[in-house]
Amino acid sequence: MPAHGAWAAAGLAPGLAPLDARLNEQILMLPAGAGGRERLETTLFKPDGSGPFPLLVINHGKAPGNPRLQRRDRFVYMAAAFVRRGYAVLVPMRTGFANSSGRYSDFGCNMTANGYAQAADIADVLEYASQQSWIDARRIVVAGQSYGGLASMALATQDIPGVRGVLNFAGGLRTIGGSCDWQQALVQAFADYGRRSRLPSLWLYGANDSFFAPPLVSRLHQAYTRGGGKAQLLSYGAFKNDAHRMLASRDGEKIWLPHAERFLQSIGMPFREVYALADTPPAPASHYAALEDVAALPYVPERGREQYRAFLKRMTPRAFAISASGAWGWAEEGEEPEARALAACQSSSEQPCRLYSVDERVVWPDASAGRTD
């Protein structure tokens, strides 16, 4: 078959990540909408045991295009940090996203209505959770990234028993093209939420966020707090090549976690580690070849070698996979780069793909593999 390859961007992974047994990961279908007719594809992480556990609900953003094609969000780095602190974690895909049922509601330039519509699903998830014996319904915190942050701030206008605070990671929503003044509409939304707010919040926005630049973030925060909303804004500077992806990055924890711990303590939520989780052991270096030795790459043709040269300039975490068919695939940043690289490679190969390099090391185990020059 002809040799060809693929790549997987952070947040746009082909294939499905395996469930993480360390975190007791499960996929649930939770009731939502009028009469509970809809079902939300929801990822659960939790410690061992029957609880009751304090709860974190993490709310996702919106990728470009059809929400139905968006993958299941996991936020596994944040989830693991909270499981270590004794929390159960729910990550719901809202109506019309991924494998959730129903139709996505879009109110166009009315950012206020967009936030409230998405918050309705979060409220339904909280209603379900509060009825479970393994959840401590008196101790709940809500978090959201991007569109999920906007929805979480809209949720904070409601008086929901047990919810003590909100973590807003680069919250907002933008439109591309058309006549919508989305920035002003977003300011109006946060002003509305601030006037109605019932919960304290911590906001984290980076200086090089590709969606929401610092001047806009300042306007959002001023609009929210001027109306009476309680929000601590942490502007943490640049993060890699886009701070909008900080929460999904393995390296983001050192930025957000210390501030989140202090916020949790201030609202009476657990903030210290109480469970030990085994780290997933990294693939060991095989010493098959030097990382930069492009000529050592087996099986792949020159096009694949060109892609590997480009890959070596990418950020970590990263992974490059190949197969004996000559196919290749790679992934950088985000969650599970190894699994995403393998899936990208496998999408172009009838033969099994294996990892060639991970981060700064070659892990290819087969010293007898042929080379193509």
Side-chain angles (χ1 to χ4, degrees):
M1 64 178 292
H4 50 294
W7 67 281
L12 297 175
L16 297 174
L19 298 180
D20 193 331
R22 301 173 308 137
L23 303 174
N24 296 304
E25 183 178 4
Q26 304 173 44
I27 300 176
L28 311 175
M29 300 301 291
L30 303 189
R37 289 194 300 265
E38 307 300 347
R39 290 293 181 269
L40 305 184
E41 181 186 29
T42 302
T43 305
L44 165 66
F45 304 96
K46 72 178 191 66
D48 293 335
S50 57
F53 306 109
L55 175 66
L56 168 69
V57 178
I58 312 176
N59 300 293
H60 64 83
K62 183 182 183 301
N66 184 353
R68 181 67 63 205
L69 301 180
Q70 189 162 322
R71 71 183 179 97
R72 174 176 65 94
D73 276 294
R74 299 169 71 232
F75 294 99
V76 69
Y77 301 121
M78 186 180 194
F82 273 76
V83 169
R84 287 188 175 99
R85 287 157 178 78
Y87 286 72
V89 179
L90 290 172
V91 187
M93 302 303 296
R94 299 186 297 277
T95 300
F97 285 89
N99 290 319
S100 295
S101 67
R103 186 173 182 177
Y104 168 66
S105 296
D106 186 348
F107 291 87
C109 203
N110 189 339
M111 299 299 177
T112 307
N114 280 321
Y116 282 131
Q118 299 300 304
D121 278 350
I122 306 172
D124 287 339
V125 169
L126 290 170
E127 181 178 0
Y128 164 86
S130 67
Q131 298 171 7
Q132 307 309 305
S133 62
W134 44 275
I135 293 295
D136 182 349
R138 302 166 302 166
R139 297 190 295 172
I140 300 171
V141 64
V142 174
Q145 193 272 337
S146 195
Y147 197 4
L150 179 71
S152 297
M153 297 311 300
L155 180 84
T157 65
Q158 302 182 38
D159 186 10
I160 300 179
V163 179
R164 300 193 182 187
V166 174
L167 294 165
N168 169 23
F169 293 89
L173 180 66
R174 67 174 183 176
T175 62
I176 299 175
S179 59
C180 172
D181 184 354
W182 64 268
Q183 295 191 16
Q184 181 58 32
L186 204 54
V187 171
Q188 292 171 352
F190 275 91
D192 180 272
Y193 302 158
R195 287 191 298 270
R196 303 170 187 269
S197 173
R198 296 174 178 268
L199 296 171
S201 56
L202 173 65
W203 297 18
L204 297 96
Y205 290 80
N208 63 333
D209 190 300
S210 63
F211 282 56
F212 312 119
L216 174 59
V217 173
S218 295
R219 292 173 62 196
L220 300 180
H221 186 253
Q222 290 171 8
Y224 189 82
T225 55
R226 190 178 295 127
K230 297 179 180 178
Q232 175 190 349
L233 173 61
L234 172 65
S235 300
Y236 56 83
F239 179 79
K240 295 190 175 182
N241 65 358
D242 187 357
H244 203 70
R245 299 178 179 178
M246 184 271 292
L247 186 60
S249 172
R250 180 186 66 188
D251 300 323
E253 184 175 295
K254 61 180 178 288
I255 293 176
W256 66 261
L257 184 55
H259 301 281
E261 286 178 326
R262 288 192 287 272
F263 178 72
L264 293 171
Q265 184 179 18
S266 73
I267 60 175
M269 293 292 290
F271 66 97
R272 292 191 175 94
E273 288 193 23
V274 292
Y275 288 93
L277 290 178
D279 291 327
T280 302
S286 65
H287 307 293
Y288 167 78
L291 181 70
E292 298 82 7
D293 187 355
V294 178
L297 201 67
Y299 300 128
V300 301
E302 183 56 32
R303 282 184 298 149
R305 297 178 194 279
E306 291 172 359
Q307 287 291 300
Y308 185 67
R309 289 187 187 95
F311 164 81
L312 292 175
K313 299 177 182 179
R314 297 289 178 171
M315 296 181 297
T316 58
R318 63 187 184 184
F320 197 95
I322 60 175
S323 84
S325 71
W328 67 89
W330 58 271
E332 67 168 337
E333 261 295 359
E335 300 173 8
E336 306 285 351
E338 296 94 336
R340 288 161 39 220
L342 287 167
C345 174
Q346 205 63 62
S347 69
S348 303
S349 177
E350 295 178 355
Q351 298 189 43
C353 291
R354 291 189 292 173
L355 293 172
Y356 180 79
S357 70
V358 175
D359 290 343
E360 303 294 342
R361 62 194 184 279
V362 172
V363 299
W364 183 255
D366 191 354
S368 64
R371 300 183 181 183
T372 59
D373 296 320

